Amino acid sequence: MQKSNVDIRSLQIGFGGLKVLENLNLHVETSEFLVLLGPSGCGKSTLLNAIAGLIEVRGGEIQIGGRDVTWAEPKDRGIAMVFQSYALYPRMSVRRNMSFGLTVAGTPRDEIERRVGEAAQMLRLTSLLDRRPSELSGGQRQRVAIGRALVRHAGVYLFDEPLSNLDAQLRAELRVEIKRLHARLGATMIYVTHDQIEALTLADRIAVMQGGVIQQLDTPKKIYREPVNRFVASFVGSPAMNFIPGRLARGSEIAFIAGVNRVSLNGYAFRSQPTDAPAVLGIRPEHIELTAANDPSSVSARIEMVEPMGADTLIWCRLADGTAFSFRHDADAQVRVGDTLTVCFPADALSLFDETSGQRL
Amino acid sequence: MRLSLNSRLSTISALLPALLVMLVVYIGATSWTVWMSLTNSRMLPNNNFVGLRQYELLLGNDRWITSVHNIVIYGVLFVSLALLVGFLLAVAIDQRVRAEDTIRSIYLYPYSMSFVVTGLVWQWLLNPTLGIQHVLRSWGFEGATFDWIVRPETAIYCLVIAGVWQASGLVMAIMLAGLRGVDEEIWKAARVDGLPKWRVYVSIIIPMMGASFATAAVLLSTAVVRLYDLSVAMTNGGPGIASEVPAKFVMDHLFERANIGLATAAATTMLITVIAVVAPYLYWRARKGEVR
């Protein structure tokens, strides 16, 4: 089937008195890999199920490949879907799991065989075709589920947290496999996850959701470097971004004041004209740099804890006013708990947020 | 050493009551029954060994042959219909209907009734001059005929109707539990695959519910073997001997007809039949367990 784009216009979904999504708009380009990222209950799975046609919408429109499918049955939408629990048909062989939908739809037998063979080969399932799901490992089961989606030759592939049931190592392996699959097929894929690493590694664009609203829709790099609000900033990134409360001050140059510390904001790309107001400074642990004590923009802090993480070390510090933050340093850093460090926060790597609204300044 | 003796003693004393019950009630009573079937006991048990004489008499007994014939008809129809009806009821309830709890209770009510009550109720319902036929005729369907219970060749099917009515609620409960155990995402996957609902049930759900079907079938089968009170309450074996069943044959000969020898021969025959059916199954299950 033709690869399709997806267009969602002012979508509304609710259950009883509960509104899950309200006036949601989203456009997914053909061949794009879009990740819906958010904590549980943010509406990301609801949105995916609505695209699949598995739940009814209250209002708005869903177009797939330019065709209005808001009220179409899932099978008529040109989609295929992979589920978290694999949802394989337990009493059928791998081959039959993949072919059953096509058989019922009346696809010619040689065509089914060709498609199953192709998908099995792509997913390295050829030797497992006659096994039952119960005889497979978790990773293999999810590959079968992906294979069952692939044979549908759909315009859009939907993934509902497909890796959440797997252990960490398998998850990393299958993640690479899905990425490779997308590169090879060039298919449109929409992928739901709560794991920000999956989102950052897989996506062309990420839609970060919270409370049924898309907070930010952008490339992984933009999402990571320039989060639009504090929620996105804290949800994406591990170890998490540091937040330091303080206020903005306009003198000869604009600066951020936190207690006795002063951080120069020369070089920060403000979105609007800054005013003297309370604000929160956000900085990622890897953007904090060690510096000489006489640097005018430096901040001194006491080391509270050191977490060696293999490739590098996470150092937990506390400022004089009691604010804690962490920063990343190379693994062979000679640091001891109790030492005092001087660090600086480079202005071009910062994020500043309004204290009350949490929006990026 | 003392500790181990102590703990062994307490183990034995804990198991003793169950062991005694099993030895005396099950093995003892069963062996005595088998022995009686080899004697010429009439009203009171005696020990005059007559070999297989009682079994010869039994196989020549019209009433016994009819009973066996009936229990085969009843067993096959009752088990398969109760499974079918129970499964369909469970599927109907599983469609997220309103007032599910109420409907489930109503379906399950018949099972809380004894076979005697069930038998009486259905005897009235099926009685041509009181029940369904009478109602239909009084509504103006003059030609309506539903007199199975008074016709010898159909009386056994009336027992099947009553039995299925009583048991399908239980089957429904077992099946519903099985259906509820099916992963919601399998249904979603099937919808995306474009499978019609009936096809999902037939090709995916039913094969997944082997355990539920086995449980229900075992429960129903034991009900078949001990079928007695339904026959007594509904037709009393009649018309004539048309709806006699083996358990009733045993009871009647044991107490009314004072023929212990023949009764125990019939009971032993039932036991052997059950063992012949169950043993291969148990053997197969044990083998399967080993393979795993």
Side-chain angles (χ1 to χ4, degrees):
Chain A
M1 189 184 273
Q2 197 82 35
K3 298 165 196 164
S4 317
N5 59 358
V6 178
D7 206 9
I8 295 161
R9 291 182 195 148
S10 50
L11 189 69
Q12 291 185 38
I13 295 174
F15 304 107
L18 181 75
K19 283 177 182 164
V20 182
L21 299 178
E22 211 170 344
N23 199 22
L24 186 136
N25 294 288
L26 179 66
H27 182 79
V28 186
E29 296 290 342
T30 307
S31 296
E32 186 177 11
F33 198 122
L34 182 99
V35 172
L36 300 172
L37 175 69
S40 50
C42 73
K44 56 191 192 300
S45 282
T46 308
L47 175 58
L48 194 77
N49 278 299
I51 296 171
L54 294 170
I55 52 177
E56 270 189 20
V57 304
R58 282 213 181 138
E61 193 181 346
I62 300 172
Q63 288 192 1
I64 295 178
R67 205 160 52 88
D68 181 359
V69 294
T70 316
W71 300 106
E73 274 294 303
K75 68 179 167 73
D76 302 323
R77 294 184 176 215
I79 54 135
M81 193 158 173
V82 178
F83 298 89
Q84 179 178 354
S85 66
Y86 325 130
L88 296 177
Y89 309 139
R91 310 294 293 181
M92 292 184 184
S93 67
V94 168
R95 186 194 306 277
R96 202 153 151 70
N97 258 287
M98 285 161 66
S99 63
F100 191 56
L102 297 178
T103 311
V104 171
T107 314
R109 188 173 298 175
D110 51 338
E111 170 73 7
I112 295 178
E113 236 157 71
R114 198 179 58 75
R115 288 195 198 180
V116 170
E118 195 180 62
Q121 194 244 329
M122 221 183 294
L123 292 159
R124 293 179 282 116
L125 290 170
T126 312
S127 59
L128 306 176
L129 278 176
D130 294 313
R131 297 224 194 145
R132 290 264 181 87
S134 56
E135 299 163 329
L136 301 177
S137 72
Q140 290 169 333
R141 287 183 204 183
Q142 196 53 291
R143 292 218 304 272
V144 175
I146 294 171
R148 183 176 62 185
L150 288 186
V151 298
R152 290 182 56 77
H153 284 196
V156 181
Y157 294 90
L158 309 174
F159 296 83
D160 193 358
E161 307 218 20
L163 308 184
S164 298
N165 281 8
L166 302 174
D167 61 47
Q169 200 183 348
L170 269 176
R171 205 180 300 173
E173 273 172 35
L174 214 54
R175 199 172 68 207
V176 173
E177 204 149 334
I178 290 175
K179 181 144 187 157
R180 198 176 291 140
L181 208 61
H182 179 248
R184 179 166 171 184
L185 296 173
T188 314
M189 293 185 177
I190 305 179
Y191 186 107
V192 163
T193 182
H194 61 261
D195 181 342
Q196 43 102 19
I197 302 278
E198 270 172 39
L200 292 171
T201 50
L202 288 171
D204 291 326
R205 280 194 308 161
I206 300 175
V208 184
M209 292 184 69
Q210 191 205 14
V213 177
I214 295 180
Q215 306 284 329
Q216 187 170 7
L217 173 61
D218 229 322
T219 60
K221 195 172 174 187
K222 264 264 169 111
I223 297 251
Y224 191 76
R225 296 292 294 232
E226 296 173 35
V228 295
N229 58 32
R230 270 193 71 173
F231 171 76
V232 175
S234 60
F235 194 78
V236 177
S238 169
M241 187 184 258
N242 299 296
F243 294 106
I244 300 168
R247 62 187 176 80
L248 294 180
R250 280 186 303 182
S252 52
E253 56 156 21
I254 183 109
F256 178 83
I257 312 289
V260 297
N261 299 304
R262 187 172 180 285
V263 178
S264 164
L265 296 178
N266 206 359
Y268 180 79
F270 278 100
R271 297 199 152 181
S272 57
Q273 197 58 37
T275 52
D276 289 2
V280 176
L281 178 145
I283 184 151
R284 298 216 177 265
E286 67 271 28
H287 292 145
I288 298 177
E289 291 169 9
L290 277 176
T291 181
N294 55 11
D295 186 331
S297 195
S298 73
V299 168
S300 74
R302 219 170 60 84
I303 299 176
E304 277 206 322
M305 194 168 64
V306 176
E307 274 187 292
M309 309 218 301
D312 43 27
T313 302
L314 194 66
I315 304 172
W316 288 86
C317 304
R318 202 173 278 277
L319 294 175
D321 65 357
T323 312
F325 68 93
S326 66
F327 81 100
R328 255 178 161 156
H329 201 55
D330 48 42
D332 35 62
Q334 295 298 315
V335 288
R336 276 200 318 272
V337 173
D339 285 0
T340 305
L341 289 176
T342 44
V343 295
C344 74
F345 302 152
D348 57 349
L350 296 179
S351 294
L352 287 168
F353 303 104
D354 186 276
E355 195 193 38
T356 44
S357 71
Q359 293 301 312
R360 186 184 185 85
L361 293 170
Chain B
M1 208 47 199
R2 260 189 65 196
L3 191 85
S4 102
L5 185 70
N6 245 338
S7 70
R8 198 180 295 175
L9 263 180
S10 58
T11 314
I12 290 172
S13 59
L15 286 176
L16 201 60
L19 201 68
L20 277 178
V21 167
M22 203 185 91
L23 280 177
V24 175
V25 178
Y26 291 106
I27 297 182
T30 308
S31 322
W32 189 79
T33 305
V34 174
W35 166 244
M36 276 302 117
S37 73
L38 301 174
T39 67
N40 66 355
S41 307
R42 296 292 301 185
M43 193 165 89
L44 292 171
N46 66 38
N47 287 327
N48 298 334
F49 182 73
V50 292
L52 296 175
R53 178 82 189 111
Q54 300 286 11
Y55 291 88
E56 274 174 43
L57 288 174
L58 186 69
L59 291 179
N61 186 317
D62 267 353
R63 191 170 156 195
W64 173 253
I65 300 299
T66 310
S67 299
V68 171
H69 190 73
N70 278 343
I71 204 68
V72 171
I73 296 177
Y74 180 86
V76 171
L77 287 181
F78 168 74
V79 172
S80 48
L81 283 178
L83 283 178
L84 180 72
V85 174
F87 180 73
L88 291 179
L89 287 178
V91 168
I93 283 198
D94 198 34
Q95 309 303 312
R96 311 207 166 283
V97 290
R98 224 179 272 181
E100 181 194 310
D101 288 351
T102 318
I103 297 177
R104 210 170 42 202
S105 309
I106 293 174
Y107 283 172
L108 208 49
Y109 258 125
Y111 196 69
S112 69
M113 262 179 240
S114 76
F115 264 135
V116 174
V117 179
T118 307
L120 282 177
V121 169
W122 278 93
Q123 189 198 16
W124 293 332
L125 279 175
L126 296 174
N127 185 321
T129 51
L130 292 172
I132 296 170
Q133 178 181 318
H134 175 73
V135 170
L136 287 177
R137 289 197 177 169
S138 69
W139 281 350
F141 299 99
E142 292 298 339
T145 314
F146 192 47
D147 57 355
W148 285 10
I149 201 164
V150 295
R151 282 166 46 197
E153 66 275 21
T154 49
I156 188 67
Y157 299 107
C158 292
L159 296 193
V160 173
I161 293 175
V164 169
W165 176 81
Q166 207 233 15
S168 36
L170 175 77
V171 177
M172 181 271 308
I174 295 170
M175 295 294 171
L176 190 60
L179 287 176
R180 288 289 150 87
V182 173
D183 181 1
E184 190 74 14
E185 290 195 332
I186 285 192
W187 278 105
K188 289 186 177 181
R191 275 187 72 189
V192 172
D193 258 351
L195 309 178
K197 234 175 177 178
W198 67 266
R199 194 73 202 252
V200 182
Y201 277 114
V202 171
S203 300
I204 297 166
I205 305 295
I206 292 181
M208 284 172 75
M209 293 198 5
S212 301
F213 275 97
T215 309
V218 167
L219 288 177
L220 294 174
S221 305
T222 59
V224 170
V225 176
R226 61 189 163 83
L227 176 67
Y228 168 72
D229 27 15
L230 194 61
S231 170
V232 170
M234 241 176 116
T235 58
N236 201 18
I241 56 164
S243 58
E244 287 290 344
V245 290
K248 186 163 178 295
F249 182 94
V250 174
M251 295 300 280
D252 286 355
H253 282 80
L254 213 47
F255 297 112
E256 279 173 30
R257 299 193 167 207
N259 194 343
I260 293 180
L262 193 63
T264 49
T268 308
T269 309
M270 284 170 72
L271 177 71
I272 291 169
T273 314
V274 169
I275 290 176
V277 172
V278 172
Y281 170 73
L282 288 180
Y283 178 71
W284 172 75
R285 269 221 344 212
R287 279 287 299 273
K288 205 174 149 201
E290 266 170 37
V291 170
R292 272 187 189 167

